[in-house]
Amino acid sequence: MNDKAFLQYAMEQSFIFPQVGTAEIAVLSRSLEKNAGYTFTDNRHPHIMPYSLPVAMTRKYTKSALYDIRHNARLYTEYNLLKHDLSENIIMPAEFAELSKAKQVLDLDNVSRQAAQRKKITATIFPSAFIEQYKNIRAEYMADTQKAAEVYQKNPIAVNIALLNDFADMFQKFMKKTHLPHLALKLNKKRLLYYLNEAAQLLKTHQILSWDFCETHNFYGEDKKFFHKEARYCRDTFEKLIKLMCQLPDEPQLFAVIQELLISPRKFHNALKIYREKHECKNADKIAELRHKEQKLFRYFAILQYLNGARAAFENKFLDECPQKRPPALPTVSPEEELKKISKIVAEGRAVNAAGKLCVMYMAALKNYGDVHQEFLQAL
């Protein structure tokens, strides 16, 4: 495999298998289905709905990255230096006292010339500014969503009203789509109504839904090629509606309101009006806006996490699969001098100004998040 082919392979794999650690905020999952995208879930705040990253978006990032690899001379220069370092395979002795501190300061998965050179190679494609800004954004996101959670806790009635309205909006959107002349949608409309009513009745009578409630309720066409897409849409909608329903407190009246919606929008609006008359709430609209802004914030944060994961996978995992032959590891006899060389490579990498399509897209993603963050703060 020549250099160009390997680097393209490493880049493609990085966007297919982004490196997302267990300490990350959003848990990433991917369906085994063909052309399935990535789903991000914020387990710290269950009220935030999961976000599915479109496959088209991941392909766009990958395509831009592969274009940059073909037109980046600096990349190949740095890659040749990596191959030289691998051919020597000099490593730091494990007992070196400064190793742990250096790993944290230099932000390396392991303290070695090879790891430092991988970071420098990565900097020719991925903007170094993105890494530092993402770290700050990550901490910022955690603090801001915690503040929002405290606001929700102080305004339970407003949250209930927001949940009911969100449920109604999603449900009515689904009902409009079932007007399309598609067999899977028409057949699954009846199933969805029945399943939701079953769930509402269980919750209304102070019962809990089993952990596999959604999995044990099937939709027509899930196992059929020509109906699978529409059936998948029905299941996704069902799971989201159940998630919203399960966020409501154990108050029978709330689930009775949902059951009225399953009959007609008019009955729902009348039932919701009665609920609001019985429960004074002056800030329902503000709480609803905050929830929607927070959901949007999570969507743009998930994109940043995915992009950082692709960068980390390229640097720490797939570049390390370089086919260069490596002799047995040779611990350096002068770890202090080796650490200076490693630190110098890292510093040089931080000074590299990445250029290319991917760099523009990464910086645009940061700006987009910043704009959405300002909207969220105004609502907060």
Side-chain angles (χ1 to χ4, degrees), residues 11 24 46 63 72 104 145 154 169 229 243 303 328 332 341:
M11 187 63 76
E24 276 292 8
K63 184 177 179 181
N72 191 328
Q104 183 176 4
T145 51
K154 294 176 182 177
D169 290 343
K229 181 179 179 182
K243 183 177 176 67
I303 293 172
T332 179
K341 293 177 182 178

Side-chain angles (χ1 to χ4, degrees), residues 3-4 7 69-70 72-80:
D3 293 353
K4 181 179 178 181
L7 289 169
I69 282 179
R70 293 193 298 269
N72 191 328
R74 175 73 182 272
L75 172 67
Y76 293 95
T77 300
E78 299 298 342
Y79 180 64
N80 284 329

